[in-house]
């Protein structure tokens, strides 16, 4: 993959969070009241993975299972991601997994907590934490999975459907690979289409392979 195809995106929003370890950043995030989502969520769900991870994968926000467990990508979308990472030949434990928004946003219906999409203000406020994670980790590649991650990292000029598989760069210079969110695969009713889309997602993920140093 050539670095000559990098496109520029807008700066990650927000003043700089301090902290020199992911652990200290995570501790600070527990007290986050930058938007209202902390009011109803069980807890903040911070990123997880090695501080020297060459690749950071960014999703949208924690789901119901993640909100309870306090860990990212442990529910159905996380299981789908695990399957696809394995198919792509990527070891999840070598990646840092995080979300654009760190609190679960939901609507309560018939005692069920249904995922609600974060709005642009929530995405922008939470970009403070994502920027801090990236500053500490200094990854070789960031994988933006879905529109919310993309908006947080690159603003609104980049589109998942039009730009998937391409490399962009944040103004701070982090390369960003665009792809779909794994939950998209879970929502496809037609099994044939779901298989086809899963293969496309795996092909996108394989583009991250050159960014891992040889073990
Ligand atoms: N979806 C996400 O975007 N992130 C998670 O952690 C789980 C589901």
């Amino acid at each position: 993959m050539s670095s000559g195809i990098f496109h520029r995106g807008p700066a990650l929003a927000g003043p700089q969070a301090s902290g020199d370890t992911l652990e200290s950043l995570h501790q600070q995030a527990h007290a986050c009241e930058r938007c209202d989502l902390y009011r109803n969520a069980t807890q903040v769900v911070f990123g997880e993975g090695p501080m020297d991870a060459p690749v950071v994968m960014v999703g949208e926000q924690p789901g119901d299972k993640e909100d309870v467990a306090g860990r990212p990508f442990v529910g159905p979308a996380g299981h789908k991601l695990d399957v696809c990472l394995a198919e792509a030949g990527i070891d999840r434990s070598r990646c840092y997994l995080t979300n654009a928004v760190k609190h679960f946003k939901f609507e309560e219906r018939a005692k069920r907590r249904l995922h609600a999409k974060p709005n642009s203000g929530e995405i922008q406020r939470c970009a403070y934490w994502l920027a801090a994670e990236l500053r500490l980790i200094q990854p070789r590649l960031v994988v933006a999975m879905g529109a919310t991650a993309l908006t947080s990292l690159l603003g609104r000029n980049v589109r998942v459907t039009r730009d998937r598989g391409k490399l962009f760069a944040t103004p701070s210079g982090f390369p960003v690979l665009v792809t779909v969110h794994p939950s998209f695969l879970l929502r496809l009713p037609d099994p044939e289409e779901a298989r086809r889309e899963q293969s496309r997602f795996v092909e996108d993920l394989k583009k991250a392979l050159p960014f891992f140093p040889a073990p």
Side-chain angles (χ1 to χ4, degrees), residues 1 50 52-57 85-86 88-97 139-143 177 204-215:
M1 193 171 348
D52 61 351
V55 173
V56 169
M57 313 211 47
L85 283 172
I90 295 172
D91 180 353
R92 170 171 168 153
S93 69
R94 294 185 74 198
C95 304
Y96 183 85
L97 267 66
R140 295 177 179 201
L141 178 71
V142 182
V143 181
L177 173 66
D204 287 347
L205 292 178
K206 281 184 185 167
K207 293 182 179 168
L209 285 170
F211 292 86
F212 288 92

Side-chain angles (χ1 to χ4, degrees), residues 45 59-63 66 71-75 77-78 98-99 145 181 183:
V45 178
E60 183 188 66
Q61 62 164 343
E66 288 81 10
R71 296 181 52 212
F73 287 103
V74 294
T98 192
N99 284 299
M145 298 186 291
H181 191 282
S183 65

Side-chain angles (χ1 to χ4, degrees), residues 13 34-35 37 101 118-127 151 156:
R34 293 177 60 80
C35 75
L37 295 183
V101 171
N119 63 37
S120 52
E122 289 152 355
I123 295 169
Q124 209 177 2
R125 280 162 195 269
C126 217
T151 301
R156 291 209 174 270

Side-chain angles (χ1 to χ4, degrees), residues 20-90:
D20 49 13
T21 64
L22 289 168
E23 191 47 44
S24 63
L25 213 55
H26 191 166
Q27 287 311 319
Q28 289 173 55
H30 275 298
C32 184
E33 297 183 2
R34 293 177 60 80
C35 75
D36 280 343
L37 295 183
Y38 76 94
R39 293 183 188 279
N40 296 325
T42 306
Q43 57 192 316
V44 75
V45 178
F46 213 65
E48 187 177 273
M51 175 116 167
D52 61 351
V55 173
V56 169
M57 313 211 47
V58 185
E60 183 188 66
Q61 62 164 343
D64 183 65
K65 292 272 191 299
E66 288 81 10
D67 173 73
V68 173
R71 296 181 52 212
F73 287 103
V74 294
H79 291 137
K80 181 55 85 179
L81 179 61
D82 287 347
V83 168
C84 294
L85 283 172
E87 267 186 54
I90 295 172

